[in-house]
């Protein structure tokens, strides 16, 4: 890790930690007025985070998109950027950061514990299709995390209403349960489409690199499992009418499959061709 | 019985269970070692470590689960389900996209979103115009109309299902027409596509036929390594017409439906045996698999030679080592035996030699490379690409450009003329309501 990158990386993590703490405070003490200020803090964190990405880009001459650390760095950037984007588009969605910021911290923290070493880009990663593949992977990951965040807020609202501490309409007042329910599905749809593009681009890349569109490699297999899982979610929603609580839990649970795909496979599997060796 | 089975097989509930079954089968393939994925050595090691489990898994074909009969059966049911669902859906979808304004207006008032707009005198014609400006197709006049946006969107459901069949056709053609074979070639070595030149067991097309007619000369190989990372390999091939083609990692040489991909790299040094006068009595480019510290051996003039390779040779504490993986200072450590007896050993750089018995010398003249190329040929990619593209188009078409409908009827009330609007949208409730609210606000502003 370059010196400037290390400073930016850790500083952004600290900022996100403060913001996450702030969100927990806002939730526990029901002081949602601080949320806009926290969003500014997250914005500052994203700027510093961008600095870390840029520093790494200049230090090694290519975008960080291969190792677990780089997945965490860029995946986290996309999640935070998506959070700020939806918050900018609709103020009521600012609260999503309560779930997305801690998730980002976890994946960045996990990544930095793995392999932050700077390295030239391996030849296997020099491909236009890989760039498309990774870009859409991050987009889908960001969307799925937002769907999970909408699910978490939905459940918090519902729980508050059930306990009688607040009616479902009081907590995060400008976000109705129906809206959250729709948003979950909308992010799911966005994630599902970008995930499909990710798989298609990945298989074209695989054809040029390994000679086959599909080899049932563990990462390929798990990405298909993850896509099918979200496909089931769409079916359950559209044809079986799954909504509300059940759908929220489904969005939270399904994210596990994506996290395993991004980070877990390289731990579990040593035989994956996706576990890129440095030599 | 058959009717009810077919009915269940054509149900969306069945679709969900079949996808869940596929997820379950793929999960088995993820967690249990698969012969086709882990490689023979790793598979045998696992088999030896857990013989009982291996036996059970093999009996149930769980170690080749992606092609196991159970998986094929699930896939079979999956596509049968798709067919039956399509059969049921086609008339429904066609009926939905074919607009019957009167039928729609008969349902007026039953939609989830209902609005009433007070009308000023003579402004009824403005509403259809405004809706049309927002992308709605409007049927009827200002007094009584049906408006629909993204009318054809339900067709995307059929397109999405069709795309799976294209993928299936493509996959089947590809599976039955696929040829794969590895061939090891040293620099300056020609390849005329003969089956015998391929390494053991090239996979011939299941539908019959032989290897592809790929002919070329391997002109040169230039590996690129930086800080221990393989950053590229420039392989130049010259075809029959004399045209040169560059192969790199991620950049195969494609000719027709055949591809030539780089798979592995090795060292192909020129070793010569010289007599006491310096005359070469034997010599050959030998293909050695010695990268990453591996040992390999070759025979020449009755000598057995074991070889270790150092791409960037250095002597550390009296021992041979390599500073990096870059080919900056290549050297071989050779151990020569004859009939099991040690004859000589030493480390040689290009141009150097080790002294053997009888006054002979084994010289390392120059270093070349050899590459293992993967030659593939298959048909069916057009179906696969078309399937992918159609699936993506269908997903966006159906789920992003979803259908919205509005019926409008003008009524006379005690307070004057009002326009009653009844709206519905596919999939989204709150978001559709927001959109209809905005539309109605615009209409109200104009009325």
């Amino acid at each position: 890790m370059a010196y400037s990158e290390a400073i930016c990386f850790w500083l952004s993590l600290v900022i996100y930690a403060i913001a996450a703490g702030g969100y927990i405070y806002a939730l526990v003490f029901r002081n949602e007025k601080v949320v806009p200020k926290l969003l500014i803090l997250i914005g500052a964190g994203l700027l510093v985070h961008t600095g870390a990405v840029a520093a790494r880009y200049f230090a090694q001459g290519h975008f960080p998109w291969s190792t677990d650390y780089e997945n965490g760095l860029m995946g986290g950037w996309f999640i935070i950027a998506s959070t700020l984007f939806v918050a900018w588009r609709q103020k009521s969605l600012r609260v999503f950061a309560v779930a997305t910021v801690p998730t980002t911290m976890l994946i960045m923290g996990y990544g930095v514990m793995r392999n932050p070493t700077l390295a030239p880009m391996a030849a296997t990663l020099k491909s236009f299709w890989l760039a498309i593949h990774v870009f859409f992977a991050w987009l889908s990951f960001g969307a799925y995390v937002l769907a999970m965040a909408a699910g978490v807020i939905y459940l918090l609202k519902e729980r508050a209403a059930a306990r009688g501490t607040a009616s479902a309409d009081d907590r995060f007042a400008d976000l109705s349960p129906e809206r959250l329910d729709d948003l979950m599905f909308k992010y799911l749809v966005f994630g599902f489409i970008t995930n499909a593009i990710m798989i298609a681009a990945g298989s074209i890349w695989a054809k040029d690199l390994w000679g086959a569109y599909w080899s049932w490699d563990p990462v390929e297999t798990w990405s298909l499992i993850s896509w099918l899982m979200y496909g089931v979610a769409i079916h359950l929603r559209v044809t079986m009418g799954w909504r509300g609580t059940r759908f929220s839990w489904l969005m939270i649970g399904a994210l596990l499959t994506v996290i395993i795909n991004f980070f877990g496979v390289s731990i579990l599997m040593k035989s994956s061709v996706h576990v890129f060796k440095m030599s | 019985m058959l009717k009810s089975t077919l009915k269940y097989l054509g149900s969306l509930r069945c679709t969900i269970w079949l996808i869940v079954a596929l997820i379950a089968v793929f999960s088995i393939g993820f967690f249990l070692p698969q012969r086709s994925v882990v490689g023979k050595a790793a598979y045998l090691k696992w088999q030896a470590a857990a013989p009982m489990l291996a036996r059970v898994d093999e009996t149930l074909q769980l170690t080749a689960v992606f092609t196991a009969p159970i998986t094929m059966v699930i896939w079979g049911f999956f596509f049968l389900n798709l067919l039956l669902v399509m059969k049921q859906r086609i008339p429904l979808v066609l009926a939905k996209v074919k607009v019957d304004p009167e039928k729609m207006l008969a349902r007026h008032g039953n939609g989830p979103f209902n609005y009433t707009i007070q009308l000023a005198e003579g402004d009824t014609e403005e509403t259809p115009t405004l809706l049309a400006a927002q992308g709605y197709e409007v049927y009827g006049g200002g007094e009584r109309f049906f408006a629909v946006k993204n009318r054809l969107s339900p067709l995307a459901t059929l397109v999405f299902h069709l795309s799976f069949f294209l993928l299936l056709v493509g996959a089947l053609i590809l599976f039955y027409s696929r040829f794969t074979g590895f061939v090891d070639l040293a620099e300056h070595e020609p390849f005329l596509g003969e089956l015998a030149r391929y390494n053991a067991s090239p996979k011939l097309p299941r539908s019959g036929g032989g290897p592809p007619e790929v002919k070329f000369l391997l002109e040169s190989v230039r590996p690129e390594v930086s800080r221990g990372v393989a950053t590229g390999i420039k392989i130049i091939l010259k075809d029959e017409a004399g045209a040169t083609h560059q192969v790199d990692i991620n950049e195969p040489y494609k000719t027709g439906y055949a591809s030539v991909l780089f798979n592995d790299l090795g060292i192909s040094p020129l070793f010569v045996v010289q007599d006491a006068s310096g005359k070469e009595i034997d010599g050959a480019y030998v293909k050695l698999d010695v990268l990453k510290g591996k040992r390999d051996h070759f025979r020449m003039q009755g000598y057995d030679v074991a070889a270790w390779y150092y791409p960037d040779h250095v002597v550390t504490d009296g021992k041979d080592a390599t500073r990096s993986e870059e080919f900056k200072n290549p050297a071989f450590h050779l151990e020569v035996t004859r009939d099991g007896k040690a004859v000589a050993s030493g480390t040689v750089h290009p141009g150097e030699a080790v002294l053997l018995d009888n006054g002979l010398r084994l010289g390392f003249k120059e270093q070349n490379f050899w590459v293992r190329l993967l030659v593939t040929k298959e048909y069916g990619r057009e179906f696969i690409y078309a399937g992918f593209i159609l699936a993506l188009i269908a997903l966006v078409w159906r789920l992003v450009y979803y259908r919205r409908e509005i019926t409008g009827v003008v009524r006379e009330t005690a307070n004057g003329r009002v326009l009653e609007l009844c709206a519905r949208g596919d999939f989204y409730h709150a978001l559709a309501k927001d959109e209809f609210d905005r539309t109605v606000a615009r209409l109200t502003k104009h009325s």
Side-chain angles (χ1 to χ4, degrees), chain A residues 218-264:
Chain A
V219 173
E220 287 175 347
T221 305
W222 199 261
S223 72
L224 183 62
I225 288 174
S226 174
W227 189 71
L228 287 175
M229 185 67 95
Y230 281 101
V232 168
I234 289 179
H235 257 289
L236 286 171
R237 166 90 181 199
V238 172
T239 61
M240 300 284 162
W242 276 39
R243 287 173 175 270
T245 312
R246 277 197 300 189
F247 200 67
S248 302
W249 281 114
L250 189 59
M251 288 301 94
I252 295 167
L255 189 70
L256 268 182
T257 63
V258 184
I259 290 173
I260 290 173
N261 200 29
F262 267 74
F263 303 103

Short mmCIF file of all heavy atoms in Angstrom, two decimals, chain A residues 218-264:
data_model
loop_
_atom_site.label_atom_id
_atom_site.label_comp_id
_atom_site.label_asym_id
_atom_site.label_seq_id
_atom_site.Cartn_x
_atom_site.Cartn_y
_atom_site.Cartn_z
N PRO A 218 -15.56 -22.45 -8.99
CA PRO A 218 -16.33 -22.06 -7.79
C PRO A 218 -16.89 -20.64 -7.83
O PRO A 218 -18.03 -20.42 -7.39
CB PRO A 218 -15.31 -22.23 -6.67
CG PRO A 218 -14.40 -23.30 -7.14
CD PRO A 218 -14.30 -23.12 -8.62
N VAL A 219 -16.11 -19.69 -8.35
CA VAL A 219 -16.62 -18.31 -8.39
C VAL A 219 -17.78 -18.21 -9.39
O VAL A 219 -18.80 -17.58 -9.10
CB VAL A 219 -15.50 -17.31 -8.74
CG1 VAL A 219 -16.07 -15.92 -8.95
CG2 VAL A 219 -14.47 -17.27 -7.62
N GLU A 220 -17.62 -18.86 -10.54
CA GLU A 220 -18.70 -18.86 -11.53
C GLU A 220 -19.95 -19.51 -10.92
O GLU A 220 -21.06 -18.97 -11.05
CB GLU A 220 -18.29 -19.66 -12.77
CG GLU A 220 -17.27 -18.96 -13.65
CD GLU A 220 -16.80 -19.84 -14.79
OE1 GLU A 220 -17.07 -21.06 -14.78
OE2 GLU A 220 -16.14 -19.31 -15.67
N THR A 221 -19.74 -20.65 -10.30
CA THR A 221 -20.87 -21.38 -9.72
C THR A 221 -21.59 -20.53 -8.68
O THR A 221 -22.81 -20.40 -8.69
CB THR A 221 -20.38 -22.69 -9.07
OG1 THR A 221 -19.66 -23.43 -10.04
CG2 THR A 221 -21.53 -23.53 -8.56
N TRP A 222 -20.78 -19.91 -7.81
CA TRP A 222 -21.42 -19.14 -6.75
C TRP A 222 -22.10 -17.89 -7.29
O TRP A 222 -23.14 -17.48 -6.78
CB TRP A 222 -20.41 -18.80 -5.63
CG TRP A 222 -21.15 -18.44 -4.40
CD1 TRP A 222 -21.43 -17.18 -3.96
CD2 TRP A 222 -21.79 -19.33 -3.47
NE1 TRP A 222 -22.19 -17.23 -2.82
CE2 TRP A 222 -22.42 -18.54 -2.50
CE3 TRP A 222 -21.87 -20.72 -3.38
CZ2 TRP A 222 -23.12 -19.10 -1.44
CZ3 TRP A 222 -22.57 -21.26 -2.32
CH2 TRP A 222 -23.19 -20.46 -1.37
N SER A 223 -21.52 -17.29 -8.33
CA SER A 223 -22.17 -16.09 -8.88
C SER A 223 -23.50 -16.49 -9.52
O SER A 223 -24.48 -15.73 -9.46
CB SER A 223 -21.27 -15.37 -9.89
OG SER A 223 -21.18 -16.10 -11.07
N LEU A 224 -23.56 -17.68 -10.10
CA LEU A 224 -24.83 -18.16 -10.67
C LEU A 224 -25.83 -18.43 -9.54
O LEU A 224 -27.01 -18.08 -9.65
CB LEU A 224 -24.59 -19.42 -11.50
CG LEU A 224 -25.81 -19.99 -12.21
CD1 LEU A 224 -26.37 -19.00 -13.22
CD2 LEU A 224 -25.48 -21.30 -12.93
N ILE A 225 -25.34 -19.03 -8.45
CA ILE A 225 -26.22 -19.29 -7.30
C ILE A 225 -26.80 -17.97 -6.80
O ILE A 225 -28.00 -17.85 -6.54
CB ILE A 225 -25.43 -20.00 -6.18
CG1 ILE A 225 -25.12 -21.45 -6.57
CG2 ILE A 225 -26.18 -19.96 -4.84
CD1 ILE A 225 -24.22 -22.20 -5.60
N SER A 226 -25.92 -16.98 -6.69
CA SER A 226 -26.34 -15.68 -6.18
C SER A 226 -27.39 -15.04 -7.12
O SER A 226 -28.41 -14.52 -6.66
CB SER A 226 -25.08 -14.82 -6.09
OG SER A 226 -25.38 -13.54 -5.76
N TRP A 227 -27.14 -15.13 -8.42
CA TRP A 227 -28.07 -14.55 -9.40
C TRP A 227 -29.40 -15.29 -9.35
O TRP A 227 -30.48 -14.67 -9.39
CB TRP A 227 -27.45 -14.63 -10.80
CG TRP A 227 -28.20 -13.88 -11.86
CD1 TRP A 227 -28.29 -12.52 -11.98
CD2 TRP A 227 -28.96 -14.43 -12.93
NE1 TRP A 227 -29.06 -12.21 -13.08
CE2 TRP A 227 -29.48 -13.36 -13.68
CE3 TRP A 227 -29.25 -15.73 -13.34
CZ2 TRP A 227 -30.27 -13.54 -14.82
CZ3 TRP A 227 -30.04 -15.91 -14.48
CH2 TRP A 227 -30.54 -14.82 -15.19
N LEU A 228 -29.33 -16.62 -9.27
CA LEU A 228 -30.58 -17.41 -9.20
C LEU A 228 -31.35 -17.08 -7.93
O LEU A 228 -32.59 -17.03 -7.93
CB LEU A 228 -30.25 -18.91 -9.24
CG LEU A 228 -29.81 -19.48 -10.59
CD1 LEU A 228 -29.40 -20.93 -10.45
CD2 LEU A 228 -30.93 -19.36 -11.62
N MET A 229 -30.60 -16.86 -6.83
CA MET A 229 -31.26 -16.52 -5.56
C MET A 229 -32.08 -15.24 -5.72
O MET A 229 -33.23 -15.15 -5.29
CB MET A 229 -30.17 -16.34 -4.49
CG MET A 229 -30.71 -16.11 -3.11
SD MET A 229 -31.56 -17.57 -2.53
CE MET A 229 -30.27 -18.34 -1.61
N TYR A 230 -31.47 -14.24 -6.36
CA TYR A 230 -32.21 -12.99 -6.58
C TYR A 230 -33.32 -13.19 -7.62
O TYR A 230 -34.35 -12.52 -7.57
CB TYR A 230 -31.25 -11.86 -6.99
CG TYR A 230 -30.53 -11.28 -5.78
CD1 TYR A 230 -29.23 -11.63 -5.47
CD2 TYR A 230 -31.19 -10.41 -4.92
CE1 TYR A 230 -28.58 -11.12 -4.35
CE2 TYR A 230 -30.57 -9.89 -3.79
CZ TYR A 230 -29.25 -10.25 -3.52
OH TYR A 230 -28.64 -9.76 -2.40
N GLY A 231 -33.10 -14.12 -8.54
CA GLY A 231 -34.16 -14.46 -9.50
C GLY A 231 -35.36 -15.05 -8.78
O GLY A 231 -36.52 -14.71 -9.08
N VAL A 232 -35.08 -15.92 -7.81
CA VAL A 232 -36.17 -16.49 -7.00
C VAL A 232 -36.90 -15.36 -6.27
O VAL A 232 -38.14 -15.35 -6.19
CB VAL A 232 -35.60 -17.52 -6.00
CG1 VAL A 232 -36.64 -17.91 -4.95
CG2 VAL A 232 -35.12 -18.78 -6.73
N ALA A 233 -36.10 -14.41 -5.76
CA ALA A 233 -36.71 -13.28 -5.02
C ALA A 233 -37.67 -12.52 -5.93
O ALA A 233 -38.78 -12.15 -5.52
CB ALA A 233 -35.62 -12.36 -4.47
N ILE A 234 -37.24 -12.28 -7.18
CA ILE A 234 -38.12 -11.56 -8.12
C ILE A 234 -39.39 -12.37 -8.38
O ILE A 234 -40.50 -11.83 -8.35
CB ILE A 234 -37.37 -11.27 -9.45
CG1 ILE A 234 -36.31 -10.20 -9.22
CG2 ILE A 234 -38.35 -10.83 -10.54
CD1 ILE A 234 -35.49 -9.84 -10.43
N HIS A 235 -39.22 -13.67 -8.58
CA HIS A 235 -40.39 -14.54 -8.80
C HIS A 235 -41.32 -14.52 -7.60
O HIS A 235 -42.55 -14.42 -7.75
CB HIS A 235 -39.92 -15.97 -9.05
CG HIS A 235 -39.98 -16.35 -10.50
ND1 HIS A 235 -41.16 -16.55 -11.15
CD2 HIS A 235 -39.01 -16.56 -11.41
CE1 HIS A 235 -40.91 -16.86 -12.41
NE2 HIS A 235 -39.61 -16.87 -12.60
N LEU A 236 -40.72 -14.62 -6.41
CA LEU A 236 -41.55 -14.64 -5.20
C LEU A 236 -42.34 -13.34 -5.08
O LEU A 236 -43.50 -13.33 -4.66
CB LEU A 236 -40.68 -14.84 -3.96
CG LEU A 236 -40.14 -16.27 -3.77
CD1 LEU A 236 -39.12 -16.33 -2.65
CD2 LEU A 236 -41.29 -17.24 -3.46
N ARG A 237 -41.70 -12.27 -5.46
CA ARG A 237 -42.36 -10.97 -5.36
C ARG A 237 -43.47 -10.84 -6.41
O ARG A 237 -44.59 -10.46 -6.10
CB ARG A 237 -41.29 -9.89 -5.58
CG ARG A 237 -41.79 -8.51 -5.84
CD ARG A 237 -41.95 -7.78 -4.56
NE ARG A 237 -42.46 -6.44 -4.79
CZ ARG A 237 -42.35 -5.49 -3.90
NH1 ARG A 237 -41.76 -5.72 -2.75
NH2 ARG A 237 -42.85 -4.32 -4.13
N VAL A 238 -43.11 -11.16 -7.65
CA VAL A 238 -44.04 -10.90 -8.75
C VAL A 238 -45.18 -11.92 -8.79
O VAL A 238 -46.33 -11.56 -9.03
CB VAL A 238 -43.27 -10.89 -10.10
CG1 VAL A 238 -44.22 -10.81 -11.28
CG2 VAL A 238 -42.30 -9.73 -10.13
N THR A 239 -44.83 -13.18 -8.53
CA THR A 239 -45.88 -14.20 -8.71
C THR A 239 -46.51 -14.65 -7.41
O THR A 239 -47.65 -15.08 -7.40
CB THR A 239 -45.31 -15.44 -9.43
OG1 THR A 239 -44.27 -16.00 -8.63
CG2 THR A 239 -44.74 -15.10 -10.78
N MET A 240 -45.74 -14.60 -6.30
CA MET A 240 -46.30 -15.08 -5.04
C MET A 240 -46.68 -13.94 -4.11
O MET A 240 -47.16 -14.19 -3.00
CB MET A 240 -45.28 -15.98 -4.32
CG MET A 240 -44.87 -17.20 -5.12
SD MET A 240 -46.17 -18.44 -5.09
CE MET A 240 -45.71 -19.45 -6.46
N GLY A 241 -46.36 -12.72 -4.54
CA GLY A 241 -46.78 -11.57 -3.75
C GLY A 241 -45.99 -11.35 -2.47
O GLY A 241 -46.51 -10.74 -1.53
N TRP A 242 -44.75 -11.86 -2.42
CA TRP A 242 -43.94 -11.62 -1.22
C TRP A 242 -43.65 -10.13 -1.10
O TRP A 242 -43.11 -9.53 -2.00
CB TRP A 242 -42.63 -12.40 -1.28
CG TRP A 242 -42.75 -13.81 -0.82
CD1 TRP A 242 -43.78 -14.65 -1.05
CD2 TRP A 242 -41.80 -14.55 -0.07
NE1 TRP A 242 -43.54 -15.87 -0.49
CE2 TRP A 242 -42.32 -15.83 0.13
CE3 TRP A 242 -40.54 -14.26 0.47
CZ2 TRP A 242 -41.64 -16.82 0.83
CZ3 TRP A 242 -39.86 -15.24 1.17
CH2 TRP A 242 -40.42 -16.51 1.36
N ARG A 243 -43.95 -9.58 0.03
CA ARG A 243 -43.71 -8.16 0.29
C ARG A 243 -43.34 -7.98 1.74
O ARG A 243 -43.30 -8.94 2.50
CB ARG A 243 -44.99 -7.35 0.00
CG ARG A 243 -45.28 -7.21 -1.45
CD ARG A 243 -46.60 -6.55 -1.71
NE ARG A 243 -46.74 -6.34 -3.15
CZ ARG A 243 -46.35 -5.25 -3.79
NH1 ARG A 243 -45.82 -4.24 -3.13
NH2 ARG A 243 -46.50 -5.14 -5.08
N GLY A 244 -43.09 -6.74 2.11
CA GLY A 244 -42.94 -6.38 3.52
C GLY A 244 -41.87 -7.16 4.26
O GLY A 244 -40.73 -7.28 3.80
N THR A 245 -42.25 -7.71 5.40
CA THR A 245 -41.29 -8.35 6.31
C THR A 245 -40.55 -9.50 5.65
O THR A 245 -39.32 -9.58 5.71
CB THR A 245 -42.05 -8.89 7.55
OG1 THR A 245 -42.91 -7.87 8.02
CG2 THR A 245 -41.09 -9.30 8.64
N ARG A 246 -41.31 -10.39 5.03
CA ARG A 246 -40.69 -11.56 4.41
C ARG A 246 -39.68 -11.13 3.35
O ARG A 246 -38.57 -11.65 3.26
CB ARG A 246 -41.76 -12.44 3.75
CG ARG A 246 -42.42 -13.37 4.74
CD ARG A 246 -43.13 -14.48 4.04
NE ARG A 246 -44.19 -14.01 3.14
CZ ARG A 246 -45.07 -14.82 2.55
NH1 ARG A 246 -45.01 -16.10 2.77
NH2 ARG A 246 -45.99 -14.35 1.76
N PHE A 247 -40.09 -10.14 2.56
CA PHE A 247 -39.22 -9.70 1.48
C PHE A 247 -37.98 -9.00 2.03
O PHE A 247 -36.88 -9.13 1.49
CB PHE A 247 -40.00 -8.77 0.54
CG PHE A 247 -39.38 -8.65 -0.81
CD1 PHE A 247 -39.35 -9.74 -1.66
CD2 PHE A 247 -38.81 -7.46 -1.22
CE1 PHE A 247 -38.75 -9.64 -2.91
CE2 PHE A 247 -38.22 -7.36 -2.47
CZ PHE A 247 -38.19 -8.45 -3.31
N SER A 248 -38.15 -8.27 3.15
CA SER A 248 -37.01 -7.60 3.78
C SER A 248 -35.98 -8.63 4.24
O SER A 248 -34.78 -8.48 3.99
CB SER A 248 -37.46 -6.80 5.00
OG SER A 248 -38.41 -5.86 4.62
N TRP A 249 -36.46 -9.66 4.91
CA TRP A 249 -35.53 -10.71 5.37
C TRP A 249 -34.86 -11.39 4.18
O TRP A 249 -33.68 -11.74 4.24
CB TRP A 249 -36.26 -11.74 6.23
CG TRP A 249 -36.47 -11.25 7.64
CD1 TRP A 249 -37.66 -10.98 8.24
CD2 TRP A 249 -35.46 -10.96 8.60
NE1 TRP A 249 -37.46 -10.53 9.52
CE2 TRP A 249 -36.11 -10.52 9.77
CE3 TRP A 249 -34.07 -11.01 8.60
CZ2 TRP A 249 -35.42 -10.13 10.93
CZ3 TRP A 249 -33.37 -10.63 9.74
CH2 TRP A 249 -34.04 -10.20 10.89
N LEU A 250 -35.61 -11.54 3.11
CA LEU A 250 -35.05 -12.17 1.90
C LEU A 250 -33.91 -11.31 1.34
O LEU A 250 -32.85 -11.82 0.95
CB LEU A 250 -36.15 -12.34 0.85
CG LEU A 250 -35.82 -13.17 -0.39
CD1 LEU A 250 -35.42 -14.58 0.00
CD2 LEU A 250 -37.01 -13.22 -1.33
N MET A 251 -34.11 -10.00 1.34
CA MET A 251 -33.08 -9.10 0.82
C MET A 251 -31.83 -9.10 1.71
O MET A 251 -30.71 -9.00 1.23
CB MET A 251 -33.61 -7.66 0.71
CG MET A 251 -34.61 -7.43 -0.39
SD MET A 251 -33.96 -7.81 -2.03
CE MET A 251 -34.48 -9.47 -2.25
N ILE A 252 -32.05 -9.22 3.00
CA ILE A 252 -30.91 -9.26 3.93
C ILE A 252 -30.17 -10.60 3.76
O ILE A 252 -28.95 -10.64 3.66
CB ILE A 252 -31.39 -9.05 5.39
CG1 ILE A 252 -31.97 -7.64 5.54
CG2 ILE A 252 -30.24 -9.27 6.38
CD1 ILE A 252 -32.74 -7.41 6.81
N GLY A 253 -30.93 -11.67 3.71
CA GLY A 253 -30.32 -13.00 3.59
C GLY A 253 -29.61 -13.20 2.26
O GLY A 253 -28.50 -13.74 2.20
N ALA A 254 -30.24 -12.72 1.19
CA ALA A 254 -29.67 -12.94 -0.15
C ALA A 254 -28.33 -12.23 -0.30
O ALA A 254 -27.47 -12.67 -1.05
CB ALA A 254 -30.65 -12.47 -1.22
N LEU A 255 -28.15 -11.13 0.44
CA LEU A 255 -26.88 -10.40 0.34
C LEU A 255 -25.70 -11.28 0.76
O LEU A 255 -24.59 -11.11 0.28
CB LEU A 255 -26.92 -9.12 1.18
CG LEU A 255 -25.72 -8.19 0.96
CD1 LEU A 255 -25.77 -7.55 -0.41
CD2 LEU A 255 -25.64 -7.12 2.03
N LEU A 256 -25.98 -12.21 1.65
CA LEU A 256 -24.92 -13.13 2.09
C LEU A 256 -24.30 -13.87 0.90
O LEU A 256 -23.09 -14.08 0.85
CB LEU A 256 -25.50 -14.17 3.05
CG LEU A 256 -25.44 -13.84 4.53
CD1 LEU A 256 -26.02 -14.98 5.32
CD2 LEU A 256 -24.01 -13.56 4.97
N THR A 257 -25.15 -14.25 -0.04
CA THR A 257 -24.63 -15.00 -1.20
C THR A 257 -23.66 -14.13 -2.00
O THR A 257 -22.67 -14.62 -2.53
CB THR A 257 -25.76 -15.47 -2.14
OG1 THR A 257 -26.43 -14.34 -2.67
CG2 THR A 257 -26.75 -16.37 -1.44
N VAL A 258 -23.95 -12.82 -2.06
CA VAL A 258 -23.08 -11.92 -2.81
C VAL A 258 -21.77 -11.71 -2.05
O VAL A 258 -20.68 -11.70 -2.64
CB VAL A 258 -23.78 -10.55 -3.04
CG1 VAL A 258 -22.92 -9.65 -3.91
CG2 VAL A 258 -25.13 -10.75 -3.68
N ILE A 259 -21.88 -11.57 -0.73
CA ILE A 259 -20.67 -11.36 0.08
C ILE A 259 -19.77 -12.59 -0.02
O ILE A 259 -18.56 -12.48 -0.19
CB ILE A 259 -21.05 -11.04 1.54
CG1 ILE A 259 -21.68 -9.64 1.59
CG2 ILE A 259 -19.83 -11.09 2.45
CD1 ILE A 259 -22.26 -9.25 2.92
N ILE A 260 -20.38 -13.76 0.02
CA ILE A 260 -19.59 -15.00 -0.13
C ILE A 260 -18.90 -15.00 -1.49
O ILE A 260 -17.73 -15.33 -1.61
CB ILE A 260 -20.49 -16.24 0.04
CG1 ILE A 260 -20.92 -16.37 1.50
CG2 ILE A 260 -19.75 -17.51 -0.40
CD1 ILE A 260 -21.95 -17.45 1.75
N ASN A 261 -19.65 -14.57 -2.50
CA ASN A 261 -19.08 -14.57 -3.85
C ASN A 261 -17.88 -13.63 -3.97
O ASN A 261 -16.86 -13.98 -4.54
CB ASN A 261 -20.16 -14.16 -4.85
CG ASN A 261 -19.83 -14.58 -6.25
OD1 ASN A 261 -19.14 -15.58 -6.45
ND2 ASN A 261 -20.29 -13.84 -7.21
N PHE A 262 -18.02 -12.44 -3.39
CA PHE A 262 -16.95 -11.45 -3.51
C PHE A 262 -15.74 -11.81 -2.65
O PHE A 262 -14.62 -11.61 -3.06
CB PHE A 262 -17.47 -10.07 -3.09
CG PHE A 262 -17.98 -9.25 -4.22
CD1 PHE A 262 -19.19 -9.55 -4.81
CD2 PHE A 262 -17.25 -8.20 -4.72
CE1 PHE A 262 -19.68 -8.80 -5.86
CE2 PHE A 262 -17.71 -7.45 -5.78
CZ PHE A 262 -18.93 -7.74 -6.35
N PHE A 263 -16.00 -12.29 -1.45
CA PHE A 263 -14.89 -12.43 -0.51
C PHE A 263 -14.68 -13.85 0.00
O PHE A 263 -13.57 -14.21 0.35
CB PHE A 263 -15.12 -11.51 0.70
CG PHE A 263 -15.28 -10.08 0.29
CD1 PHE A 263 -16.53 -9.49 0.25
CD2 PHE A 263 -14.19 -9.32 -0.08
CE1 PHE A 263 -16.69 -8.17 -0.15
CE2 PHE A 263 -14.33 -8.01 -0.48
CZ PHE A 263 -15.58 -7.44 -0.52
N GLY A 264 -15.76 -14.62 0.06
CA GLY A 264 -15.66 -15.91 0.74
C GLY A 264 -15.02 -16.99 -0.12
O GLY A 264 -14.31 -17.85 0.40
#
